[in-house]
Amino acid sequence: MKLYRSDAALQQEMKETSLPPGTAALWALGQAGFLIQIEDKRLVIDPYLSNKTAGGLWVRQFPAPVTPEQLPELEAVLCTHQHDDHMDASTLAKLYPRQTTQFIIPRAHAGLMASWGLGPERIIGMNHMESATVNGVEIRAIAAMHDRFEQDDQGNHRYLGYVIRCGGLTIYHSGDTIGFPELAEWLKDERIDIALIPINGRDYARTAQGIVGNCNYREAADLAAAIGADMVIPMHFGMFAHNDENPAYFVDYLYTRYRAQKFHMMTAGERFIYMK
């Protein structure tokens, strides 16, 4: 059974989608990766479009729906943190030659990008509560707690999420994080239209293997409700069998606790159109 969409029609759709004001289109790329379009502005977040992590237990359950070269023109590429399935050197190296594209990363990882041969000319390093505007798209960094806060010697957070504003819409991509009280406080006044939050969770067995944890399905739903997100889209499931969660649990928990909360489940290659 085909569990994902990957074809020439998808590539054409990504390049030719036209949106009215107040509308966003999101394409799921797998794991925490998304192509986001608001009006005529496009950016991609955490694109893992290679097999870089392959080995041992880390076996992709489906191939990438597109290659880096098949993505449309982009205002920016955002990476939330340095794990191969979020900040993929192979994918970034193929996107870096695009001269009109900016790269937004945690400042703590600027040296790593340089070691990959990606110079500083179009790299914007970010830290908690810092903002940047790229071709009309406002991007604000929010610290994430991937089990815990981690900072470099200069106090730059290694894990970030991003609040993205454009065309009257606000989208929050949490990156990899667990839920914690400060996060809800930072976000509750942001008027989030769409929240992208991981649901794969954490447990003793995975911690023993050195796998760093995220929100589970309950925390993701609770966080979306706490920040008043109009729509929540769960992410970070389905890619690796040993670090996964059944998204049906997320849906069941929403139905039980937050029946009025809008949500959408996405499969790789799917386009979802949101109208405010």
Side-chain angles (χ1 to χ4, degrees):
M1 182 172 61
K2 188 174 182 180
L3 300 177
Y4 58 90
R5 182 178 174 208
S6 176
D7 51 31
L10 170 60
Q11 299 163 39
Q12 183 176 7
E13 179 184 82
M14 288 179 166
K15 292 177 181 178
E16 298 182 1
T17 291
S18 179
L19 299 172
T23 305
L26 294 85
W27 287 264
L29 302 178
Q31 198 70 330
F34 292 88
L35 170 67
I36 297 175
Q37 179 178 339
I38 303 174
E39 297 180 348
D40 62 344
K41 312 294 186 186
R42 296 185 184 93
L43 53 86
V44 68
I45 305 178
D46 283 356
Y48 171 53
L49 303 177
S50 77
N51 289 312
K52 189 169 188 297
T53 64
L57 293 173
W58 299 98
V59 178
R60 292 187 69 127
Q61 300 300 291
F62 54 87
V66 292
T67 67
E69 295 88 348
Q70 290 168 339
L71 287 170
E73 292 302 311
L74 301 166
E75 267 63 49
V77 176
L78 283 64
C79 294
T80 60
H81 64 286
Q82 193 283 304
H83 283 157
D84 287 340
D85 56 334
H86 296 262
M87 190 172 173
D88 175 21
S90 176
T91 297
L92 298 180
K94 292 174 181 177
L95 292 173
Y96 195 77
R98 301 182 180 210
Q99 295 299 312
T100 60
T101 300
Q102 301 294 311
F103 290 76
I104 295 177
I105 64 168
R107 188 175 298 118
H109 302 317
L112 180 64
M113 291 281 279
S115 74
W116 292 343
L118 307 181
E121 299 82 8
R122 285 178 291 112
I123 294 175
I124 301 172
M126 301 276 278
N127 196 24
H128 177 52
M129 291 299 179
E130 294 180 355
S131 297
T133 300
V134 178
N135 199 16
V137 181
E138 180 187 340
I139 300 161
R140 186 182 189 191
I142 302 291
M145 187 180 284
H146 202 0
D147 263 356
R148 62 185 186 277
F149 288 134
E150 286 190 20
Q151 295 166 274
D152 66 11
D153 293 341
Q154 287 73 48
N156 295 305
H157 282 266
R158 299 185 187 277
Y159 307 125
L160 295 177
Y162 297 107
V163 174
I164 300 157
R165 286 194 176 87
C166 181
L169 293 175
T170 303
I171 297 175
Y172 169 61
H173 187 296
S174 71
D176 277 3
T177 193
I178 61 173
F180 55 99
E182 294 89 346
L183 183 58
E185 285 296 314
W186 296 334
L187 293 170
K188 68 179 184 180
D189 295 326
E190 296 284 356
R191 298 181 180 273
I192 305 295
D193 293 301
I194 303 172
L196 306 166
I197 305 175
I199 62 167
N200 63 301
R202 58 206 181 276
D203 52 45
Y204 171 80
R206 283 181 283 180
T207 299
Q209 297 175 70
I211 299 173
V212 188
N214 280 328
C215 289
N216 59 36
Y217 62 89
R218 287 190 295 256
E219 289 173 302
D222 292 342
L223 177 60
I227 65 178
D230 182 52
M231 168 78 66
V232 57
I233 297 177
M235 64 176 184
H236 212 295
F237 63 91
M239 178 70 77
F240 301 113
H242 71 296
N243 190 25
D244 201 3
E245 184 56 276
N246 185 342
Y249 299 155
F250 174 78
V251 176
D252 181 73
Y253 187 71
L254 279 181
Y255 182 77
T256 302
R257 293 291 301 274
Y258 306 108
R259 197 167 294 193
Q261 176 66 60
K262 291 189 284 186
F263 71 94
H264 186 72
M265 308 293 297
M266 296 191 72
T267 189
E270 177 188 351
R271 181 185 69 179
F272 172 69
I273 294 181
Y274 172 89
M275 183 172 289
K276 193 164 185 176

